[in-house]
Amino acid sequence: MGKANRGKYLRRLPNRGRGTCPVCHATGIKLLYTQHTSDGKELKVCKRCSKASQERIDQAASQ
Ligand SMILES: [Zn+2]
């Protein structure tokens, strides 16, 4: 793929791909990474949280 999270693609996203990360609660951050909770839900997270543990993803999803 390459550069899937850059440029024009971002403008098509709501709020240009920015928002509040459900895992680390950073605001105005680009939520470009999809993580899956252990029950199969998709969660959009920031770059930092793309490497977060499953535990943190699940915790964020349950809030
Ligand atoms: Zn985050």
Side-chain angles (χ1 to χ4, degrees):
M1 284 221 319
K3 295 201 175 181
N5 290 329
R6 311 190 83 172
K8 285 181 182 171
Y9 168 74
L10 287 177
R11 301 196 181 191
R12 296 203 301 265
L13 295 172
N15 209 20
R16 295 197 177 175
R18 288 181 190 270
T20 302
C21 175
V23 181
C24 66
H25 304 290
T27 55
I29 201 161
K30 286 191 280 185
L31 302 175
L32 300 177
Y33 299 82
T34 303
Q35 285 283 19
H36 291 90
T37 62
S38 33
D39 57 359
K41 270 203 305 187
E42 282 192 358
L43 204 64
K44 300 291 276 184
V45 302
C46 72
K47 187 174 187 176
R48 282 186 294 178
C49 296
S50 66
K51 297 187 183 77
S53 67
Q54 188 70 59
E55 204 170 56
R56 289 191 68 194
I57 303 298
D58 287 344
Q59 200 172 46
S62 66
Q63 279 168 4

